[in-house]
Amino acid sequence: MNREAQGRKGLVFSIQRYSTEDGPGIRTTVFMKGCPLRCLWCHNPEGQEFFPQIAFNDSRCIGCKGCVDACPQGAIKFTEDGSRTDGGKCQNCGKCAEVCPTGARELVGKYMTAEEVFSEVERDTLFYRSSGGGVTVGGGEPTMQPRFLVEFLRKCHEQGIHTALDTSGYAEWKEMEEILKHVDLVLYDIKQIDLVKHAEYTGVSNELILENARRISSKGIPMIIRVPVIPGYTDGEDSVRSILEFACILKSVAKVELLPFHRLGEPKYRKLGRSYAFERAQPPTDVCMQKLKQLVESFGLQAKVMSK
Ligand code: SF4
Ligand code: SF4
């Protein structure tokens, strides 16, 4: 089923409660599936494709072969090394996951209505109120599903729930503008100012991203700029400095969050049958993060180093 055929349903791959890293207070983060960027270091690879996908965790497989019988495509084979899925045959229908008794096979991504997602998040309304928190939508790139997003965020606002949008900014302005009517805070990722490097690292140009940042700021919507600190790519002082110079022209930015590289995404690549490009990379040191924090503060901006 393509995106258009989904109508107002959203493709969600995770709903995380009690989050403290995605905006102020205690929050629920709704992760939307599908992203037009391909950041080399992406730690949510299961959020990239615009369709549900089968993930396989071989450490959980007990070899019952229920999945082999359930697969209508004959895509699953057992060899000496265990279960293998033929990616050319697999249609991501999820039938193998339905019969798997251990959760070794899992269908990542579920089409949900705004009402369904809202009924999940509203359970924690009391926590949001007492902590100054709310709901954050992230991904993937949530703005790729604008109709769902507008409906969902409107519901949150109708119930007085604070909303945050975590975005790469790579979105048609017309759609972004509609979404922003229901957003209290924008968490805006800026990975690189250099146009050529940005395209090399993420697969897309940053012109639209920088232009949208200016537009959001000119509307006066509070923004937090988020900078991923990736060893060998975006961790240089010059790289961060050029982002800070840009952030300073955005009037609604008070804070910059520094996101140190971590390897939590690695097992996810394995489960999706993909190779991981950062096998040898190490997270930046605390000294490096503190230096960058001081650099942010030297621009008169609040700085926060996020957890690894
Ligand atoms: S998702 Fe469907 S096609 Fe793919 S391996 Fe499982 S049962 Fe077979
Ligand atoms: S159904 Fe699950 S546990 Fe059984 S063989 Fe398949 S993946 Fe392994």
Side-chain angles (χ1 to χ4, degrees):
M1 227 181 309
N2 62 31
R3 273 192 279 162
E4 205 47 44
Q6 290 309 315
R8 290 189 187 279
K9 283 192 176 180
L11 183 56
V12 173
F13 71 88
S14 178
I15 297 178
Q16 195 178 309
R17 298 168 75 190
Y18 312 120
S19 166
T20 54
E21 297 280 306
D22 296 318
I26 296 173
R27 312 189 72 82
T28 297
T29 305
V30 178
F31 292 89
M32 309 291 300
K33 195 156 158 46
C35 182
L37 277 66
R38 287 295 178 269
C39 303
L40 297 174
W41 52 82
C42 179
H43 62 268
N44 279 341
E46 75 277 41
Q48 290 183 342
E49 299 296 348
F50 290 91
F51 50 83
Q53 282 172 286
I54 276 292
F56 175 56
N57 181 347
D58 57 357
S59 69
R60 284 191 165 186
C61 177
I62 54 170
C64 70
K65 299 191 181 171
C67 54
V68 177
D69 297 336
C71 178
Q73 307 298 328
I76 304 170
K77 295 269 177 295
F78 269 76
T79 67
E80 282 175 357
D81 299 329
S83 164
R84 290 285 168 266
T85 307
D86 182 337
K89 289 183 179 172
C90 175
Q91 302 288 313
N92 290 299
C93 68
K95 290 200 164 66
C96 54
E98 283 169 21
V99 300
C100 179
T102 64
R105 285 183 175 269
E106 180 197 359
L107 190 64
V108 181
K110 186 177 171 189
Y111 290 102
M112 299 176 78
T113 62
E115 288 81 6
E116 286 167 339
V117 179
F118 183 73
S119 71
E120 296 259 336
V121 306
E122 73 169 342
R123 290 190 283 168
D124 292 328
T125 302
L126 279 178
F127 289 113
Y128 310 149
R129 298 245 159 89
S130 61
S131 68
V135 167
T136 300
V137 283
E141 175 47 56
T143 58
M144 292 291 106
Q145 303 184 61
R147 292 210 295 168
F148 165 85
L149 212 54
V150 165
E151 204 174 326
F152 171 65
L153 293 171
R154 184 189 290 131
K155 276 182 189 303
C156 292
H157 265 182
E158 282 167 0
Q159 295 306 314
I161 298 174
H162 179 274
T163 61
L165 172 69
D166 182 4
T167 179
S168 68
Y170 195 79
E172 290 292 328
W173 177 247
K174 220 173 98 203
E175 286 169 343
M176 176 75 97
E177 204 173 20
E178 279 308 301
I179 294 165
L180 290 172
K181 289 177 184 167
H182 313 282
V183 169
D184 299 307
L185 170 69
V186 180
L187 310 176
Y188 206 88
D189 300 349
I190 301 186
K191 304 158 208 303
Q192 181 62 236
I193 295 294
D194 184 284
L195 201 123
V196 176
K197 284 184 184 163
H198 193 280
E200 187 191 331
Y201 299 167
T202 71
V204 303
S205 160
N206 62 4
E207 285 166 306
L208 178 62
I209 293 168
L210 300 180
E211 183 56 26
N212 281 346
R214 290 187 202 96
R215 287 163 165 158
I216 294 170
S217 170
S218 71
K219 283 179 168 289
I221 301 170
M223 298 171 81
I224 294 177
I225 300 296
R226 304 185 114 190
V227 181
V229 180
I230 313 299
Y233 291 85
T234 63
D235 60 341
E237 279 199 21
D238 287 349
S239 173
V240 177
R241 187 184 299 278
S242 56
I243 293 174
L244 296 172
E245 284 163 359
F246 179 76
C248 282
I249 61 167
L250 305 174
K251 299 287 178 243
S252 70
V253 172
K255 189 173 177 183
V256 172
E257 292 181 345
L258 299 165
L259 283 61
F261 166 78
H262 59 69
R263 298 178 52 151
L264 297 178
E266 187 172 0
K268 301 181 186 180
Y269 281 86
R270 210 169 33 245
K271 284 187 203 169
L272 293 170
R274 292 175 56 182
S275 58
Y276 182 61
F278 282 73
E279 240 167 43
R280 301 220 172 112
Q282 294 302 318
T285 62
D286 291 345
V287 173
C288 163
M289 295 309 296
Q290 284 310 314
K291 265 193 183 170
L292 293 179
K293 181 171 182 273
Q294 284 166 11
L295 182 62
V296 175
E297 288 164 346
S298 74
F299 278 75
L301 295 160
Q302 264 186 65
K304 183 175 177 188
V305 175
M306 307 304 277
S307 48
K308 288 179 190 167

